[in-house]
Amino acid sequence: MPSKALQRPYEALAEARRIPGAREAVNGALDVGAVLRRRDEIIGAPDDSALIPWVESHGITLVRGHGRIVDERRVIVGDEELEARRAVVLSVGSQPLVPALNGLGDLEPGRVWTNREATTTKEIPGRMLVVGGGPEGVELAQAFQTLGSQVTVIEAQHRVLPRAEEFASAQVTAALQECGVEVLTGQSVVNFAQDRGDVVVKTSAGSTPSGDVVLIAVGRRPTTEDLGIEAVGLEPGTLVEVDAHMRVPTVPWLYAVGDINGRALLTHMGAYQARLAVDHILGHEHAIAHGADGALAPQVTFTDPQIASVVTPAKARPARESSSTGTTPSPPAPRCQTSAASTTPQTHRAQRASLSTASGES
Ligand SMILES: Cc1cc2nc3c(=O)[nH]c(=O)nc-3n(C[C@H](O)[C@H](O)[C@H](O)COP(=O)(O)OP(=O)(O)OC[C@H]3O[C@@H](n4cnc5c(N)ncnc54)[C@H](O)[C@@H]3O)c2cc1C
């Protein structure tokens, strides 16, 4: 995961600094260039050859291209039309949601980031505005702050991670602030403007934070615009709703797993749903009956400290609304102390210069 590759070096450093004996051995700052190079290795070239032997060993035929439903159990990929004997499973995922906020469309190209730009960037911006304080927003805010950006998070609810337990949200807020992140809660974006090199946000509370780029982290939308689902009476651009077997109730041969059904936007839940769908296609009746497939799904927010949230079926039955959450206990010891995250403009400029040199860009 590219976002985890940006977070992991700081997490490892912070962990070492919490442990007397190890702490003394860690003196330097994060090497931002090395962090980005490792991220590139993890993302890899656009080459999936390492996975192909696994696909082939399972007797799976891989057809490359954009698929669209054209008729009952029929999918077209380029010029090739495929017909399934039993079922078609949609697992096309989701895209960043970029709402039409006032002035956002008028900002210079390259100023508006989604998770894609954030996780593939070759440079760490000097100042970053993050709109949205959910898991994606806070994870990337902490990652960029610890890599050298001065980050401001803007969250409309009264706390970041509004769906987490309040105490967990408070610990993450404190950790972000210790790192130097400015956390603006209870205020939403009124408009964006560009003032020469600055992106300036006006918020509903009258704040006007500015940055070099703005990261929009306000949610996801399903990748269903160009999937041909209108051929089976579903609406393009919307979530594909499914039953407990991951089957579309109105189309008995069609299943949808992962982000596309909107139940739980988590990798492990998509994999779990895929097993349920396949079981059902093969004639087994397993189904999600315990309710832990939506907001109650086990999940982790990979900030430092991390938030792990787990709901067992027994707990879920009496109180489906609440979850059991824990944060990794950690002493109040130095967070963000000596990373490359000094926030002076001079440091940012120096970092950008060294990154440009390393990547050969001007
Ligand atoms: C910044 C960020 C951090 C995250 N961190 C975590 C985390 O820590 N833990 C976690 O569990 N989850 C995390 N998630 C969520 C996780 O990435 C998703 O839930 C997961 O990838 C969804 O899997 P999927 O198979 O539904 O879709 P995807 O992984 O998006 O895969 C869909 C694939 O379908 C392809 N495709 C799309 N349309 C077509 C078409 N018409 N024809 C053919 N192919 C098509 C796409 O190119 C893509 O390769 C994170 C997400 C983001 C954005």
Side-chain angles (χ1 to χ4, degrees):
M1 286 286 294
S3 61
K4 273 47 187 181
L6 294 177
Q7 294 168 260
R8 179 66 186 137
Y10 168 70
E11 185 189 48
L13 186 64
E15 184 62 12
R17 288 197 179 119
R18 281 198 276 270
I19 301 171
R23 175 188 303 160
E24 290 72 12
V26 182
N27 303 312
L30 288 179
D31 178 339
V32 177
V35 172
L36 297 183
R37 284 193 294 280
R38 177 174 172 273
R39 183 274 322 268
D40 288 343
E41 278 167 26
I42 289 171
I43 297 176
D47 169 17
D48 54 13
S49 54
L51 298 170
I52 300 306
W54 180 90
V55 171
E56 287 171 350
S57 71
H58 285 75
I60 299 166
T61 304
L62 174 65
V63 180
R64 294 183 186 275
H66 187 104
R68 287 179 195 86
I69 294 173
V70 283
D71 208 340
E72 183 172 336
R73 289 177 291 106
R74 296 183 84 81
V75 171
I76 192 161
V77 185
D79 295 334
E80 193 174 355
E81 194 166 316
L82 307 160
E83 181 174 0
R85 263 185 295 144
R86 300 192 196 185
V88 173
V89 182
L90 303 173
S91 60
V92 295
S94 63
Q95 307 288 313
L97 175 71
V98 181
L101 297 165
N102 274 340
L104 190 63
D106 301 329
L107 299 178
E108 276 176 6
R111 299 282 181 175
V112 182
W113 284 15
T114 65
N115 65 288
R116 266 200 216 114
E117 289 77 14
T119 54
T120 55
T121 184
K122 301 281 181 211
E123 295 188 1
I124 302 302
R127 294 167 306 142
M128 175 187 267
L129 300 166
V130 177
V131 178
E136 183 187 328
V138 294
E139 285 184 6
L140 289 170
Q142 193 174 47
F144 276 87
Q145 181 77 29
T146 57
L147 289 170
S149 294
Q150 171 58 58
V151 179
T152 303
V153 176
I154 302 156
E155 164 57 49
Q157 303 287 316
H158 285 281
R159 57 189 174 94
V160 296
L161 299 174
R163 288 186 297 278
E165 297 290 331
E166 204 158 344
F167 76 90
S169 158
Q171 285 194 22
V172 170
T173 304
L176 288 171
Q177 288 169 334
E178 273 180 54
C179 291
V181 175
E182 187 180 9
V183 181
L184 303 178
T185 54
Q187 42 195 303
S188 49
V189 171
V190 174
N191 64 34
F192 291 94
Q194 187 147 351
D195 181 8
R196 282 174 290 241
D198 283 357
V199 174
V200 184
V201 175
K202 185 169 176 208
T203 77
S204 53
S207 309
T208 52
S210 60
D212 299 318
V213 297
V214 56
L215 169 66
I216 305 292
V218 296
R220 313 278 304 169
R221 62 186 172 82
T223 313
T224 52
E225 285 94 351
D226 189 13
L227 197 55
I229 57 174
E230 61 281 11
V232 291
L234 302 177
E235 196 180 331
T238 62
L239 292 171
V240 175
E241 289 185 19
V242 291
D243 63 17
H245 302 292
M246 305 297 122
R247 185 167 60 166
V248 178
T250 52
V251 190
W253 50 270
L254 189 62
Y255 293 73
V257 300
D259 286 9
I260 185 177
N261 66 33
R263 288 187 165 213
L265 278 63
L266 294 161
T267 304
H268 51 285
M269 293 308 295
Y272 175 51
Q273 294 172 0
R275 281 173 182 268
L276 288 170
V278 169
D279 277 350
H280 196 249
I281 293 165
L282 294 177
H284 306 298
E285 277 300 311
H286 307 145
I288 291 181
H290 43 63
D293 61 318
L296 299 178
Q299 54 196 284
V300 177
T301 301
F302 289 95
T303 42
D304 182 59
Q306 294 181 356
I307 300 180
S309 164
V310 180
V311 181
T312 63
K315 285 180 189 159
R317 243 173 257 123
R320 296 221 158 164
E321 292 304 304
S322 68
S323 61
S324 161
T325 305
T327 53
T328 313
S330 56
R335 287 203 179 102
C336 302
Q337 194 183 35
T338 60
S339 71
S342 166
T343 55
T344 61
Q346 288 83 352
T347 312
H348 296 314
R349 275 196 290 277
Q351 273 172 354
R352 282 202 298 277
S354 69
L355 281 170
S356 300
T357 309
S359 63
E361 292 169 4
S362 59

